[in-house]
Amino acid sequence: MPPRVPEGEKGDSRRVAKLPFVSVAVRIRPSSEEPAALWATEKSRVCCNRGFLLEEYEFSRVFGPEEDNQRLFAQLQGPAITDSIFAGVNETLFAYGQTGSGKTHTIFGSASSPGLLELFVQQVFDTASLRAGSAVHACCYEVLGDSLTDLIDSSALEAEGALCEDDVVHDELFIKTQRCRYQICRVPSAELCLRLLRSAARRRSCGVSSVNGDSSRSHAIVQLFVQNPCEPPMASIGTLTLVDLAGSEKEHENPSLHGRKSARLLNTSLCSLNRLLRKLQTGCLDESERRQSVLNKCLWEYLRPGCGIALIFCVNPSLQHRAASLSTLAMATDSKLIHSQRKCQYIQLSPHTPHETIRQVPSSPSPRGTPAPPPRSAETPRRPAGITCTSPRQESARREETNEEPEFQRQLAQSARHYERLRLEAERAHDELASDNMALRRECESLRGLFVRQQQQQIAFWTGPFLEMVGENSAAKAMAKMAAKGAQEALAAVQQGEKEDSLADAQSLSLDGVSRCVMPEKTSAQKLRAEMEYWRDMALTLQRELHKSKSPKAGVSDTETRSSRSASSDGVL
Ligand SMILES: Nc1ncnc2c1ncn2[C@@H]1O[C@H](COP(=O)(O)OP(=O)(O)OP(=O)(O)O)[C@@H](O)[C@H]1O
């Protein structure tokens, strides 16, 4: 029997999906400069002075300089977003804007004003205290260019005994050939969670930007994974993702060389993210966007259709930043097209294993009583694999009940970790093979194209200008005929091979499961390598032949030599 989506939670998910969440908000930071280029006119409008005219924009919510993070949290419906996470939805909040516009202030806050992160952590733990058996895990990492750095350091908490070894699991992301690991910690209380995240925030890379002396030089991602048992054996699993993007900045305006370098990397990843958001706006997001940058790869799971997305666009109201603010407002206007259709996710808790393994069951607000859809493919979720799904209390009660040997449990946990490692290695090998395969395919295609063009030019040469040149010389004519025939045959063989390859590709696509994931990549990579070697040989042979035909010793008359030289200088090769 397939597991059923918990009926009570389905009700919740429908309720959650109907809540009027804020999707696009604009926040105007305080500024002492007068006159201002923009200001909030109403709760949802912002007016912009363009010099010759005043323009008004409308968003879900506009926050003026006097509104603090507490108000932002309340107006963005922090408590409702938290409920949505407990119902199993992935909720993602972005702070977006130019450098110095107040993104870090919004997410991480300051000494005097808690940021959205702290407010959410409090709310999540307040809600968790009312839901028996729920568990919260946290991670925090930064992304700069092609690198991902874990910002969590749990060693101090482990040394104090506040966290134990089993509370920390690792997830990995394969970036090119590098394995980037980051920790995911099971956090028992809001206080511990905040200690961990505050120390993570202090480790974030910072530097100087053109307008901010304490500018974040990386994109920071903080995630809280909430697991909430509902109807046994199911549990909802929702994630809160807070993203403090690095600010966009004109590269040449940064005062330091290092700053200009990091600005280039940050702008590149922001461009990829913008492209992804644009596709989300037009409803044509496709898998290819996932691989465009490390940032996209990290956020993909939490931006896909089914997730709740809220974007906070931060702007600086001063006149000198008007151009940058207008471009932020333009992006904010387009982002109004993003419609989050929230879906709940569930996992099945196995009652027999000591550490329940997570089986992702994509939830959909399916009608009451209908079976849940099958588990997701291995490709989609990048999730804190290995997170234990029961509370320590439940776990010890179960151990007592089943009278299991602790040694046996240790062995089981060890083998679970071992198989998880193997799974991740297989996934990495698959990713590497897939990218090798793509590169080989591209190289083969270009060699194949080159060869086809060469053959066509040969045929044109032997059947056209060469014949005209040799006139009545029958030996030369016969030789030209043979050469043209040879080129035609080679061309036909290539075109036939192309057809067979595309047929083989189509067949490999129709293969199922594991064999489709791993084997064809391997075999076709080998095949493509062999094919590439073949084309390299072909190209070399051709070059040698044409070289020979150009040389006076080739046994062809002077006229022929001249004609083939003139043909090659016309671009035959
Ligand atoms: N709404 C606000 N209220 C009070 N102070 C603010 C507000 N927004 C920004 N600031 C202050 O402005 C300065 C720059 O803000 P912040 O570092 O958050 O900008 P940022 O957008 O994260 O910049 P960067 O992209 O360069 O990291 C900080 O000193 C911050 O305290």
Side-chain angles (χ1 to χ4, degrees):
M1 275 279 285
R4 287 176 185 278
V5 172
E7 293 182 4
E9 295 295 319
K10 271 189 300 185
D12 278 2
S13 72
R14 279 200 290 268
R15 181 174 62 77
V16 162
K18 279 182 188 161
L19 281 171
F21 289 108
V22 171
S23 54
V24 176
V26 169
R27 184 176 204 188
I28 305 172
R29 61 157 286 176
S31 166
S32 51
E33 280 178 41
E34 290 286 343
L38 6 125
W39 57 93
T41 50
E42 280 173 44
K43 258 170 70 169
S44 58
R45 284 166 196 271
V46 56
C47 192
C48 176
N49 176 3
R50 298 193 71 132
F52 52 97
L53 53 82
L54 291 180
E55 243 175 23
E56 200 170 50
Y57 297 79
E58 189 170 359
F59 301 99
S60 314
R61 240 345 234 105
V62 173
F63 299 97
E66 67 293 343
E67 294 181 89
D68 63 7
N69 287 333
Q70 291 271 7
R71 180 143 175 87
L72 207 72
F73 180 74
Q75 293 284 308
L76 292 175
Q77 300 183 66
I81 291 179
T82 309
D83 282 348
S84 166
I85 298 159
F86 273 81
V89 177
N90 285 347
E91 294 283 353
T92 305
L93 262 99
F94 275 95
Y96 188 108
Q98 70 166 123
T99 173
S101 56
K103 300 176 294 297
T104 307
H105 178 83
T106 302
I107 302 290
F108 289 98
S110 61
S112 56
S113 160
L116 288 184
L117 174 62
E118 184 165 342
L119 298 167
F120 268 113
V121 168
Q122 295 290 1
Q123 185 69 33
V124 163
F125 279 92
D126 285 353
T127 313
S129 67
L130 305 173
R131 318 252 176 143
S134 55
V136 182
H137 291 78
C139 72
C140 178
Y141 51 87
E142 66 176 357
V143 173
L144 173 62
D146 275 348
S147 71
L148 181 155
T149 312
D150 188 9
L151 296 175
I152 294 275
D153 182 4
S154 56
S155 55
L157 291 178
E158 279 183 57
E160 292 176 16
L163 288 180
C164 65
E165 206 185 317
D166 281 355
D167 287 331
V168 183
V169 290
H170 289 90
D171 197 3
E172 327 187 288
L173 204 70
F174 290 100
I175 299 166
K176 296 193 174 158
T177 52
Q178 246 192 324
R179 175 197 293 221
C180 298
R181 294 186 103 203
Y182 59 93
Q183 297 172 74
I184 299 171
C185 298
R186 181 180 175 126
V187 273
S189 66
E191 195 204 8
L192 259 183
C193 183
L194 286 173
R195 269 182 70 189
L196 207 61
L197 295 175
R198 280 189 199 124
S199 71
R202 283 195 291 273
R203 267 187 287 279
R204 189 175 175 194
S205 316
C206 57
V208 177
S209 77
S210 48
V211 291
N212 190 358
D214 187 19
S215 172
S216 317
R217 306 315 290 166
S218 65
H219 307 294
I221 299 173
V222 186
Q223 292 187 301
L224 297 179
F225 304 99
V226 174
Q227 190 187 302
N228 179 31
C230 33
E231 199 178 283
M234 305 297 284
S236 65
I237 177 122
T239 307
L240 170 71
T241 306
L242 295 177
V243 189
D244 175 17
L245 292 171
S248 50
E249 176 190 20
K250 285 192 182 121
E251 198 183 311
H252 66 270
E253 286 181 1
N254 192 292
S256 73
L257 181 65
H258 185 257
R260 284 194 288 278
K261 272 189 193 160
S262 66
R264 187 178 317 154
L265 291 175
L266 294 171
N267 286 342
T268 309
S269 54
L270 283 170
C271 275
S272 304
L273 181 69
N274 280 355
R275 227 176 16 239
L276 188 152
L277 292 175
R278 295 249 173 242
K279 287 202 172 176
L280 208 58
Q281 289 157 9
T282 48
C284 57
L285 185 61
D286 58 77
E287 189 73 21
S288 65
E289 287 308 317
R290 178 185 167 163
R291 289 182 186 268
Q292 296 306 314
S293 71
V294 174
L295 185 63
N296 285 13
K297 209 169 182 179
C298 294
L299 293 175
W300 177 258
E301 268 307 302
Y302 308 96
L303 287 177
R304 292 182 308 120
C307 301
I309 302 169
L311 295 136
I312 305 162
F313 288 90
C314 300
V315 287
N316 190 327
S318 67
L319 215 47
Q320 57 164 321
H321 297 297
R322 184 171 60 189
S325 300
L326 281 174
S327 109
T328 305
L329 289 182
M331 185 64 183
T333 306
D334 294 341
S335 298
K336 289 196 288 184
L337 295 170
I338 298 175
H339 290 294
S340 303
Q341 293 194 327
R342 292 170 165 82
K343 285 186 186 168
C344 303
Q345 300 181 132
Y346 299 93
I347 53 167
Q348 190 187 3
L349 304 178
S350 156
H352 302 299
T353 48
H355 291 274
E356 278 82 353
T357 46
I358 287 182
R359 265 185 57 198
Q360 293 273 340
V361 181
S363 71
S364 54
S366 51
R368 282 172 78 87
T370 49
R376 281 183 187 165
S377 70
E379 177 61 13
T380 20
R382 180 160 285 283
R383 176 62 66 162
I387 286 177
T388 55
C389 302
T390 44
S391 68
R393 212 164 355 101
Q394 282 177 322
E395 180 62 16
S396 65
R398 195 195 59 72
R399 278 183 197 168
E400 258 175 44
E401 220 175 80
T402 55
N403 214 8
E404 273 174 5
E405 292 291 330
E407 178 54 30
F408 175 59
Q409 287 177 27
R410 241 197 319 278
Q411 280 174 6
L412 270 178
Q414 208 175 1
S415 60
R417 279 196 289 271
H418 172 69
Y419 285 109
E420 183 54 24
R421 257 199 313 276
L422 289 184
R423 185 186 70 75
L424 289 168
E425 269 164 24
E427 209 176 77
R428 181 175 61 102
H430 173 256
D431 272 10
E432 279 171 11
L433 280 169
S435 71
D436 274 6
N437 195 346
M438 282 292 284
L440 283 169
R441 194 177 287 269
R442 272 197 298 273
E443 201 165 341
C444 271
E445 268 159 19
S446 84
L447 282 168
R448 200 199 297 261
L450 177 69
F451 184 78
V452 167
R453 279 196 304 279
Q454 282 177 339
Q455 294 305 310
Q456 284 166 342
Q457 283 166 341
Q458 289 248 347
I459 296 166
F461 170 67
W462 292 121
T463 54
F466 184 79
L467 284 184
E468 273 171 31
M469 230 164 289
V470 295
E472 290 311 311
N473 183 340
S474 55
K477 267 177 155 178
M479 194 202 79
K481 203 172 158 191
M482 261 174 56
K485 193 171 165 227
Q488 261 158 356
E489 279 168 4
L491 190 60
V494 171
Q495 282 162 347
Q496 178 62 23
E498 206 169 2
K499 263 193 225 151
E500 280 164 12
D501 278 358
S502 55
L503 196 68
D505 279 354
Q507 278 168 353
S508 80
L509 278 176
S510 69
L511 286 175
D512 65 334
V514 181
S515 57
R516 187 180 62 204
C517 286
V518 185
M519 289 315 291
E521 305 291 359
K522 211 170 193 169
T523 48
S524 74
Q526 282 164 351
K527 205 177 117 210
L528 284 168
R529 246 182 228 120
E531 197 183 329
M532 199 179 74
E533 291 306 319
Y534 171 78
W535 290 124
R536 277 213 183 107
D537 284 352
M538 273 297 224
L540 282 173
T541 317
L542 254 172
Q543 249 164 358
R544 270 199 299 272
E545 269 180 21
L546 280 160
H547 216 71
K548 247 196 269 167
S549 72
K550 277 190 247 165
S551 111
K553 287 180 202 156
V556 196
S557 73
D558 268 1
T559 349
E560 287 157 21
T561 314
R562 261 200 312 277
S563 61
S564 72
R565 195 176 291 137
S566 76
S568 73
S569 65
D570 285 350
V572 170
L573 262 183

